[in-house]
Amino acid sequence: MSATPLLLKPARLVAGAGDFDQRLDQLLAWESVSDKAVQQTVAEIIDRVRHDGDVAVVDFTRSFDRVTADTMAELELSEQRMAEALKAISDAEFDALQCAADRIRRYHEQQQQSSWQYEENDGTVLGQKVTPLDRVGIYVPGGRAAYPSSVLMNAIPARVAGVSEIVMVVPTPDGVVNEMVLAAAAIAGVDRVFTIGGAQAVAALALGTESISKVDKIVGPGNIYVATAKRMVYGQVGIDMIAGPSEILVISDGGTDPDWIAMDLFSQAEHDEDAQAILIATDGEWLGQVEASMNRLLPEMERRDIIAASINNRGALIQVPDLNAAVALCNRIAPEHLELSVADPDMLLPSIRHAGAIFMGRYTAEALGDYCAGPNHVLPTSGTARFSSPLGVYDFQKRSSLIRFSAGGASDMGKVASVLARGESLTAHARSAEYRIKD
Amino acid sequence: MSATPLLLKPARLVAGAGDFDQRLDQLLAWESVSDKAVQQTVAEIIDRVRHDGDVAVVDFTRSFDRVTADTMAELELSEQRMAEALKAISDAEFDALQCAADRIRRYHEQQQQSSWQYEENDGTVLGQKVTPLDRVGIYVPGGRAAYPSSVLMNAIPARVAGVSEIVMVVPTPDGVVNEMVLAAAAIAGVDRVFTIGGAQAVAALALGTESISKVDKIVGPGNIYVATAKRMVYGQVGIDMIAGPSEILVISDGGTDPDWIAMDLFSQAEHDEDAQAILIATDGEWLGQVEASMNRLLPEMERRDIIAASINNRGALIQVPDLNAAVALCNRIAPEHLELSVADPDMLLPSIRHAGAIFMGRYTAEALGDYCAGPNHVLPTSGTARFSSPLGVYDFQKRSSLIRFSAGGASDMGKVASVLARGESLTAHARSAEYRIKD
């Protein structure tokens, strides 16, 4: 904690001012650091796990996490240990986890995809078959950033999708176990839990070892070593998006209690110093009130140093002439979280094209979405909402195209394929199609 | 063309033999080469395009493609030029492209996703909003591997998804234009066409220049420079999967004409020397007949050198005890293309978990799917069908979560979120939720 009082000075911007576009671009700029040394280390860890399997994973875990296990079996948690976690947490915590899990499950069940097919006049059948992934690995950070909510958000969509086996890895540095994380895993229906982490855990999931069957996809957040390892094994397994720092954009008509908005901004800023909280409003005086609230509330916050760094480096209060201008800015920023703290959010919704999750109305604090609203809290960051989606059931299923030509259909289409294949000088393609043409 | 007669010697494997698993793994092994020199070159090209925009793109295009243009305007094709392409191709070619486009469009329209929402008892509304991407770039290789079918397969799903602007880039080395490619672009409804290619075209699409607005996603195949550039700009824009060599797995009950199967295998093998064609059957004698057909047909093939290299390096004929064993192998291989050349493909379908596209019955040659069946020919390769899907409308749309809490819902859920947030030591989250609790 800092000795001198912290002062929050978010950037104050006015849309349309001469330097506005440039200042906004600077504010939004974000480059993740790609460190050669980290890449080298991770490549070596993956190689060792590839060659030595369990032995390598146990060695790395002893060394990095300072635990005493001699075998992988000692690093797997038993069903009994998982059941104990459910008893170790308070009743209020158990009920809250259970309530959140139920709501997350109900929401994600709406994302179920169905196989379909249709038949053409000549009897040809075309379709699409949806199949869940066989086996999924979930990475859960240990130590300081151990979030039970992440366990629910990653495991439940996989379960709803029909994934047969969910394997969770969570490091326990110095043997410290987070009971809430284990309880969340039990509630979400995780099948196996290993207390391993880092690049060695990612490698074990991607390549398989004697004790860990290789998975088809790895999801979940992690530090730079985990993120680098996920990038490196991508292609052999699927991965979720590599997340940048978390962000919120609040659009307000100035009718919400400034304290509420200040705390909504703080709830993003407290994640880490690179997190970004931006407020857009039509009323400059009200923006000043929010800034005053922020400074009044800051001393009460446990994570005030992180909040101050985030707000002062990357935060902003932006004044716009009207709410349409606010929506236009939103579509430019494509925020991870968008709060529409306005009287009539439905009026703005149709114009919003790019946002990971949209929180509508003054009561819908973003924090509710982090835990128990139902929708996923794993969302596209750094403007990637322009082209990507929240984590969902669709990330744990994939599609296969179905084609069944009737004899007549194959004959008709054989003629078409023949012309096009010869146009591309692919004559084996042409002849394969031509064999099916009836004379 | 080779001077000495080519002999096809695909690997002959028997499932269950002592060394079978090892030999199959060797056969399937594929590593894409990551060349440091290529990465360095591509990084420099991207940097120059970032700094010099149009000027850099024109310079690179003059130098790499040996064209004389002085400005980007000269590298954009006019609507009139596109219309001319439609007249330059034969009537048969025009009709074939039009027929293929219609069928591709009809199939992909089935993939449309809808927004949805539901209301809870307390008035809280949860939902998911589907929005198309704003702008998409399609890379089309020039020269030898210029495939009009790829233009249809990439552009039509984007159009069906509702993408506002589709920008195509296609290099024209030495100024050579492929009229079929341009005609396909006109038929698919591509909005703008630039005759540029390589890493400089990918950089221009991802970063934008004075003449080219930056896109949200880049799709389409390309050489190692293009693939490397796509990997490097990933995150700033979306990309499709980086494809490995094309593959086919044919499963047969031995009742299909051996010549048909031989040609189906050839149609994969003729793509390139790394392409993989595997045939699995229960009947060893019939496998021998197919091998004989292959050797008899090979001399007639225009691309026989490529076919021979592909079949002899990576091809295989595998004998299995029954069709269930064949399906088990399929699920292990997770092929890009699967042909079920059997009497009753519907019997096998429910057990097939992993394949990009499934071609059912003796009439359904894989080549039909490459051109005009309707489903996409951009499919997951190298076993990635375990966790990924054919290119589709869903790749050109993304989802936003919708959350609108009623006052009562926010109060109830505020209590739950508070417990969980405090369990994670995120007290600003907790307080933001607690503000919404009614006393």
Side-chain angles (χ1 to χ4, degrees):
Chain A
M1 297 296 149
S2 56
T4 53
L6 294 163
L7 179 68
L8 294 180
K9 292 282 288 175
R12 287 292 293 262
L13 280 66
V14 178
D19 60 349
F20 175 73
D21 285 331
Q22 197 190 338
R23 287 188 67 192
L24 183 63
D25 283 344
Q26 281 171 3
L27 199 69
L28 298 175
W30 174 259
E31 291 265 354
S32 69
V33 196
S34 168
D35 183 323
K36 292 248 161 86
V38 171
Q39 294 200 9
Q40 182 65 29
T41 304
V42 169
E44 284 167 17
I45 292 173
I46 294 175
D47 255 8
R48 267 220 55 205
V49 173
R50 181 182 284 117
H51 289 110
D52 300 338
D54 281 349
V55 169
V57 177
V58 171
D59 278 358
F60 285 125
T61 305
R62 289 172 62 98
S63 144
F64 295 147
D65 294 340
R66 300 164 301 280
V67 297
T68 57
D70 290 315
T71 64
M72 275 299 292
E74 295 171 64
L75 293 171
E76 180 167 7
L77 298 183
S78 65
E79 274 185 50
Q80 195 193 328
R81 178 65 189 85
M82 301 300 288
E84 283 168 23
L86 288 173
K87 289 178 196 147
I89 64 176
S90 74
D91 287 353
E93 286 170 338
F94 178 85
D95 291 345
L97 281 176
Q98 193 74 62
C99 170
D102 287 345
R103 293 184 61 87
I104 295 165
R105 191 175 299 112
R106 196 177 333 142
Y107 180 86
H108 286 81
E109 277 166 358
Q110 307 287 324
Q111 293 177 336
Q112 274 294 7
Q113 306 176 110
S114 303
S115 300
W116 50 262
Q117 56 178 51
Y118 61 93
E119 187 170 331
E120 302 190 308
N121 290 337
D122 62 15
T124 294
V125 174
L126 300 174
Q128 188 174 275
K129 173 177 162 148
V130 176
T131 317
L133 274 56
D134 284 343
R135 196 179 290 117
V136 164
I138 297 183
Y139 191 95
V140 178
R144 218 165 44 105
Y147 292 146
S149 57
S150 285
V151 177
L152 301 182
M153 293 291 181
N154 282 280
I156 292 173
R159 195 91 286 170
V160 170
V163 169
S164 308
E165 188 176 2
I166 302 175
V167 183
M168 183 173 115
V169 294
V170 55
T172 54
D174 300 306
V176 176
V177 176
N178 183 316
E179 300 292 342
M180 282 275 273
V181 162
L182 299 191
I187 287 171
V190 167
D191 296 292
R192 299 182 76 181
V193 179
F194 293 90
T195 56
I196 59 177
Q200 59 274 18
V202 174
L205 290 170
L207 307 171
T209 69
E210 300 88 327
S211 304
I212 304 181
S213 301
K214 69 182 217 173
V215 303
D216 301 303
K217 189 165 194 166
I218 302 175
V219 298
N223 63 20
I224 186 71
Y225 291 91
V226 172
T228 304
K230 280 169 68 181
R231 265 188 202 277
M232 284 189 186
V233 298
Y234 175 58
Q236 302 190 48
V237 296
I239 60 168
D240 55 357
M241 291 215 47
I242 308 287
S246 196
E247 329 132 19
I248 192 170
L249 174 65
V250 180
I251 293 177
S252 183
D253 55 12
T256 310
D257 185 328
D259 282 5
W260 290 23
I261 299 295
M263 198 59 74
D264 294 354
L265 298 172
F266 282 1
S267 76
Q268 207 58 40
E270 75 172 340
H271 273 294
D272 74 81
E273 299 185 353
D274 294 319
Q276 184 157 55
I278 298 177
L279 170 61
I280 304 180
T282 46
D283 182 341
E285 198 183 333
W286 180 84
L287 283 173
Q289 291 171 25
V290 174
E291 188 169 344
S293 284
M294 291 166 75
N295 274 301
R296 181 168 45 74
L297 291 166
L298 183 69
E300 305 172 17
M301 307 312 302
E302 282 81 353
R303 296 166 73 91
R304 56 186 164 273
D305 289 323
I306 297 171
I307 291 171
S310 159
I311 296 287
N312 288 340
N313 294 333
R314 303 200 73 216
L317 310 182
I318 304 178
Q319 190 180 344
V320 289
D322 54 44
L323 289 176
N324 290 335
V327 169
L329 273 183
C330 167
N331 287 335
R332 176 163 160 198
I333 295 171
E336 181 189 16
H337 304 101
L338 170 65
E339 239 183 63
L340 297 176
S341 202
V342 299
D344 186 2
D346 283 313
M347 205 183 64
L348 302 181
L349 188 61
S351 317
I352 290 165
R353 299 182 53 75
H354 309 306
I358 307 172
F359 299 80
M360 301 170 69
R362 310 193 199 286
Y363 287 105
T364 311
E366 187 274 318
L368 299 176
D370 285 338
Y371 294 106
C372 54
N376 213 288
H377 78 193
V378 181
L379 296 166
T381 57
S382 306
T384 58
R386 286 183 295 119
F387 53 84
S388 42
S389 301
L391 188 72
V393 168
Y394 34 80
D395 289 304
F396 299 103
Q397 298 178 329
K398 37 49 177 214
R399 308 166 183 87
S400 302
S401 305
L402 298 183
I403 309 175
R404 180 174 190 167
F405 272 107
S406 64
S411 181
D412 291 346
M413 285 307 116
K415 293 168 190 163
V416 175
S418 166
V419 171
L420 294 173
R422 291 186 182 280
E424 294 181 355
S425 302
L426 293 176
T427 44
H429 283 69
R431 291 193 54 186
S432 166
E434 288 158 9
Y435 274 137
R436 275 81 173 183
I437 298 176
K438 289 185 284 197
D439 299 309
Chain B
M1 298 295 149
S2 55
T4 53
L6 292 164
L7 180 68
L8 294 180
K9 292 283 287 175
R12 286 293 291 264
L13 278 67
V14 178
D19 61 349
F20 175 72
D21 285 331
Q22 196 189 340
R23 287 188 68 191
L24 183 64
D25 283 345
Q26 281 171 2
L27 199 69
L28 298 175
W30 173 259
E31 292 263 355
S32 70
V33 196
S34 168
D35 182 323
K36 292 248 162 85
V38 170
Q39 294 200 7
Q40 182 64 30
T41 303
V42 169
E44 284 166 17
I45 292 172
I46 292 174
D47 255 6
R48 266 218 56 204
V49 172
R50 181 181 283 117
H51 289 111
D52 299 339
D54 281 350
V55 169
V57 177
V58 172
D59 278 358
F60 285 124
T61 306
R62 288 171 62 99
S63 146
F64 295 146
D65 294 340
R66 301 164 300 279
V67 297
T68 56
D70 291 314
T71 63
M72 277 298 292
E74 295 171 64
L75 293 171
E76 180 167 8
L77 298 183
S78 65
E79 274 185 50
Q80 195 192 326
R81 178 65 189 84
M82 300 300 289
E84 284 168 23
L86 288 172
K87 289 180 195 142
I89 64 175
S90 73
D91 287 352
E93 286 170 338
F94 178 86
D95 290 345
L97 281 176
Q98 192 75 61
C99 169
D102 287 345
R103 293 183 61 86
I104 295 165
R105 191 176 299 111
R106 196 178 333 143
Y107 179 85
H108 285 82
E109 277 166 358
Q110 307 287 325
Q111 294 178 335
Q112 273 294 6
Q113 305 176 110
S114 301
S115 300
W116 50 263
Q117 57 179 52
Y118 61 93
E119 187 171 330
E120 303 190 309
N121 290 337
D122 63 15
T124 295
V125 174
L126 300 174
Q128 188 175 276
K129 174 177 161 148
V130 176
T131 316
L133 274 55
D134 284 343
R135 196 180 289 118
V136 164
I138 296 183
Y139 191 94
V140 179
R144 220 165 43 107
Y147 292 146
S149 57
S150 285
V151 176
L152 301 183
M153 293 290 181
N154 282 281
I156 291 174
R159 194 92 283 169
V160 171
V163 169
S164 308
E165 188 175 3
I166 301 175
V167 183
M168 182 174 116
V169 295
V170 55
T172 53
D174 299 308
V176 176
V177 176
N178 183 316
E179 300 291 344
M180 281 275 271
V181 163
L182 299 191
I187 286 170
V190 167
D191 296 294
R192 298 182 77 182
V193 179
F194 293 91
T195 56
I196 59 176
Q200 60 275 17
V202 173
L205 290 171
L207 306 171
T209 70
E210 300 88 327
S211 303
I212 304 181
S213 301
K214 70 182 214 172
V215 302
D216 300 303
K217 190 165 193 167
I218 302 175
V219 298
N223 63 20
I224 185 69
Y225 291 92
V226 172
T228 303
K230 279 169 69 181
R231 265 188 202 279
M232 285 190 188
V233 298
Y234 174 59
Q236 302 189 50
V237 297
I239 61 169
D240 56 357
M241 292 214 45
I242 308 287
S246 197
E247 329 133 20
I248 193 171
L249 174 65
V250 180
I251 293 177
S252 182
D253 54 13
T256 311
D257 185 328
D259 282 5
W260 290 23
I261 299 295
M263 198 58 75
D264 293 354
L265 297 172
F266 283 1
S267 76
Q268 207 58 38
E270 76 172 339
H271 273 294
D272 73 81
E273 299 185 354
D274 294 317
Q276 183 156 57
I278 298 178
L279 170 61
I280 304 180
T282 47
D283 183 341
E285 198 184 332
W286 181 82
L287 282 173
Q289 290 172 26
V290 173
E291 187 169 345
S293 284
M294 291 167 75
N295 275 300
R296 182 169 44 74
L297 291 165
L298 183 70
E300 304 172 18
M301 306 313 301
E302 282 81 353
R303 296 165 73 91
R304 57 186 164 272
D305 290 323
I306 296 171
I307 291 171
S310 159
I311 297 287
N312 289 340
N313 294 333
R314 303 202 71 217
L317 310 181
I318 304 177
Q319 189 179 345
V320 288
D322 54 43
L323 288 177
N324 290 335
V327 169
L329 273 182
C330 167
N331 286 336
R332 175 164 161 197
I333 296 170
E336 181 189 15
H337 304 100
L338 170 65
E339 238 182 65
L340 297 177
S341 202
V342 298
D344 186 2
D346 283 311
M347 205 183 63
L348 302 181
L349 188 61
S351 316
I352 290 166
R353 300 182 52 74
H354 309 305
I358 306 172
F359 299 79
M360 300 170 70
R362 310 193 199 287
Y363 288 105
T364 310
E366 187 274 319
L368 299 175
D370 286 338
Y371 294 107
C372 55
N376 213 288
H377 78 193
V378 182
L379 296 166
T381 58
S382 306
T384 58
R386 287 183 295 119
F387 54 85
S388 43
S389 302
L391 188 72
V393 168
Y394 34 81
D395 290 304
F396 299 104
Q397 298 178 329
K398 36 53 178 213
R399 308 165 184 88
S400 303
S401 306
L402 298 183
I403 309 175
R404 179 174 189 167
F405 272 108
S406 64
S411 180
D412 292 345
M413 286 307 116
K415 293 168 191 164
V416 175
S418 166
V419 171
L420 294 173
R422 291 186 182 278
E424 294 182 354
S425 302
L426 293 176
T427 44
H429 284 69
R431 291 193 54 184
S432 166
E434 288 158 9
Y435 273 138
R436 274 80 172 185
I437 299 176
K438 288 185 284 194
D439 300 307

